[in-house]
Amino acid sequence: MNYYELKFTYESPIEATIISDVLASELGEIGFESFTEDEDGLLAYVSDQLYNVKALQDKLNEFPLENVTIRYTEQLVVSKDWNEEWEKNYFKPIRIGNDCIIRASFHEPEPGYTYNIIIDPKMAFGTGNHETTYLMISEMLKLDLEGKDLLDMGCGTAVLAILAKMKHANKVVGIDIDEWAYNNALENTRLNHTEDIQIALGGAEQIPAFGTFDIVFANINRNILLNDINRYAACMKPGATLFMSGFYTEDIPAIQAECERNGLKFISHAEKNNWVAVKTQKP
């Protein structure tokens, strides 16, 4: 699969990082999968099969921040070049406290971390660079997963599923709708010797095939979460916990209301640069 790389630049009195966060959220709704901020703006990636110029123009014309002029250039990136691009330019080791490090196979090992996860990312979202993945990893590090059954919904690189296995979870399932992410997840489970993780290609309709869960992680985006919370609730055992991320602080009321409509109790939330991870529980 080939991808388009779009480079967005701005003219605005608003801080560029704020614009980039909002833009990434908007682009995620029309098929863009991966984002990297640079000094000038935002690099965004979308598969050539999903790239829709009209949908992009509509998003830019209806951009929710005022006094922002956005320009972009595009180029086609063939898949065989992606790992090299990451190695040269983007993916650096990510350290979460003293407990966890996420690195690529081309990085030198660093001793002293409880969990040393190897991720060779392709175009999939979820290396820990983004705030939402960082938040979800931070939440998982707090949990006792010994013997628990866990679902990683929208698994991307499978970093959460791999960490869950390293923390001695029992059944671990990762599901992603993107074929590229699915293949990358399989590759990363092999790299980390966690091949007993079950990886499936598809959306939330795949969940019932894997039974029920003690813990569900869903790091996707606001609209998909709102649509699928009922499916998450249906697969949760009594007393199970659901963590969700991929949205902003201002989206919490809508997420909380949908959780409560499906019998889930809102417990808490964590924030990083206006991105949020929420914790809910089934009675």
Side-chain angles (χ1 to χ4, degrees), residues 263-278:
L264 302 176
K265 180 182 179 182
F266 190 91
I267 303 297
S268 62
H269 77 276
E271 298 179 26
K272 184 175 173 64
N273 296 331
N274 202 40
W275 292 94
V276 176
V278 301

Side-chain angles (χ1 to χ4, degrees), residues 6 16 21 23 31 42 76 94 98 104 119 137 139 157 161 176-177 182-183 188 209 217-219 232 258 278:
L6 277 70
D21 279 349
L23 180 59
L42 184 73
L76 188 64
I94 299 133
N98 296 317
I119 297 293
I137 292 170
E139 291 295 329
T157 61
D176 202 289
I177 201 166
Y182 167 78
N183 289 325
N188 290 327
F217 278 80
N219 185 13
Y232 307 151
E258 187 61 24
V278 301

Side-chain angles (χ1 to χ4, degrees), residues 137-205:
I137 292 170
S138 298
E139 291 295 329
M140 186 176 286
L141 288 170
K142 302 173 188 175
L143 302 177
D144 178 6
L145 299 184
E146 183 84 36
K148 302 291 187 182
D149 295 332
L150 183 141
L151 171 64
D152 179 6
M153 194 67 214
C155 64
T157 61
V159 64
L160 291 173
I162 292 166
L163 178 59
K165 252 315 170 187
M166 289 181 172
K167 288 177 66 66
H168 306 294
N170 178 34
K171 176 180 69 179
V172 178
V173 176
I175 301 175
D176 202 289
I177 201 166
D178 180 76
E179 186 174 0
W180 193 269
Y182 167 78
N183 289 325
N184 193 207
L186 290 173
E187 178 182 342
N188 290 327
T189 59
R190 290 191 291 268
L191 282 173
N192 290 275
H193 309 292
T194 53
E195 292 94 339
D196 52 342
I197 294 171
Q198 300 175 74
I199 304 293
L201 176 63
E205 76 282 350

Side-chain angles (χ1 to χ4, degrees), residues 50-277:
L50 294 178
Y51 185 31
N52 184 319
V53 176
K54 184 181 183 303
L56 173 60
Q57 287 299 331
D58 289 345
K59 283 293 185 184
L60 297 181
N61 292 338
E62 300 166 5
F63 195 66
L65 298 180
E66 297 181 353
N67 300 318
V68 179
T69 300
I70 301 176
R71 297 184 176 87
Y72 71 91
T73 59
E74 67 180 49
Q75 66 171 334
L76 188 64
V77 181
V78 295
S79 58
K80 63 182 176 63
D81 293 333
W82 183 243
N83 278 342
E84 181 182 355
E85 288 299 308
W86 267 94
E87 181 172 358
K88 290 189 301 185
N89 299 312
Y90 304 126
F91 186 31
K92 308 299 181 187
I94 299 133
R95 303 163 186 85
I96 295 128
N98 296 317
D99 295 317
C100 182
I101 183 170
I102 303 165
R103 63 179 180 86
S105 58
F106 50 75
H107 294 138
E108 289 295 322
E110 295 184 28
Y113 291 91
T114 307
Y115 307 105
N116 196 310
I117 302 174
I118 301 173
I119 297 293
D120 277 355
K122 299 188 186 299
M123 290 300 297
F125 181 83
T127 59
N129 279 288
H130 194 271
E131 287 88 341
T132 59
T133 311
Y134 189 99
L135 285 166
M136 294 290 255
I137 292 170
S138 298
E139 291 295 329
M140 186 176 286
L141 288 170
K142 302 173 188 175
L143 302 177
D144 178 6
L145 299 184
E146 183 84 36
K148 302 291 187 182
D149 295 332
L150 183 141
L151 171 64
D152 179 6
M153 194 67 214
C155 64
T157 61
V159 64
L160 291 173
I162 292 166
L163 178 59
K165 252 315 170 187
M166 289 181 172
K167 288 177 66 66
H168 306 294
N170 178 34
K171 176 180 69 179
V172 178
V173 176
I175 301 175
D176 202 289
I177 201 166
D178 180 76
E179 186 174 0
W180 193 269
Y182 167 78
N183 289 325
N184 193 207
L186 290 173
E187 178 182 342
N188 290 327
T189 59
R190 290 191 291 268
L191 282 173
N192 290 275
H193 309 292
T194 53
E195 292 94 339
D196 52 342
I197 294 171
Q198 300 175 74
I199 304 293
L201 176 63
E205 76 282 350
Q206 297 289 328
I207 297 174
F210 296 98
T212 57
F213 298 90
D214 301 292
I215 300 169
V216 177
F217 278 80
N219 185 13
I220 310 179
N221 67 51
R222 176 186 184 273
N223 291 341
I224 293 177
L225 292 172
L226 289 172
N227 185 68
D228 289 346
I229 283 171
N230 62 329
R231 294 178 182 264
Y232 307 151
C235 79
M236 295 167 65
K237 301 176 185 179
T241 306
L242 166 64
F243 295 87
M244 290 179 288
S245 193
F247 53 92
Y248 296 110
T249 52
E250 54 264 33
D251 298 317
I252 290 176
I255 295 290
Q256 181 173 353
E258 187 61 24
C259 286
E260 291 171 351
R261 272 193 291 272
N262 286 277
L264 302 176
K265 180 182 179 182
F266 190 91
I267 303 297
S268 62
H269 77 276
E271 298 179 26
K272 184 175 173 64
N273 296 331
N274 202 40
W275 292 94
V276 176

